[in-house]
Amino acid sequence: MSASKVSRTPWEAPAGATLHAVSDEGVTLRDIAEVIGRHLDVPTAAVTPEEAAGHFGRLAPVLAADQPASSALSRELTGWEPVEPGLLDDLDKGHYFREA
């Protein structure tokens, strides 16, 4: 797994640096939900920020937070390059949704 290189070398990073082993950036929760919904044949719908608390309950603030992750520093410090598919491509392959 290509991410193992990043997880093995955090001590090489400067103090306080955050390393991420992500191949794609800017993936939204909505995009993730749409792929999952499509594979499970469950409809998805957008909710406004005002509706979010009633819909998601205590999870609403967490789900509403912009939580970007970038692997730029990881790539620079470790020479790591992702070789596996990105999150949406991996989810879209459907192997997480097969019946047991």
Side-chain angles (χ1 to χ4, degrees), residues 17-60:
T18 302
L19 302 182
H20 290 288
V22 297
S23 61
D24 38 0
E25 300 178 20
V27 177
T28 66
L29 183 59
R30 181 179 186 158
D31 292 338
I32 296 168
E34 287 175 350
V35 171
I36 293 170
R38 186 170 58 253
H39 281 278
L40 297 177
D41 200 25
V42 175
T44 59
V47 294
T48 66
E50 295 77 29
E51 298 168 322
H55 188 78
F56 295 111
R58 290 190 209 178
L59 286 178

Side-chain angles (χ1 to χ4, degrees), residues 80-94:
W80 170 76
E81 289 296 326
V83 295
E84 284 86 14
L87 176 61
L88 296 178
D89 289 338
D90 193 35
L91 286 172
D92 214 18
K93 289 182 179 187

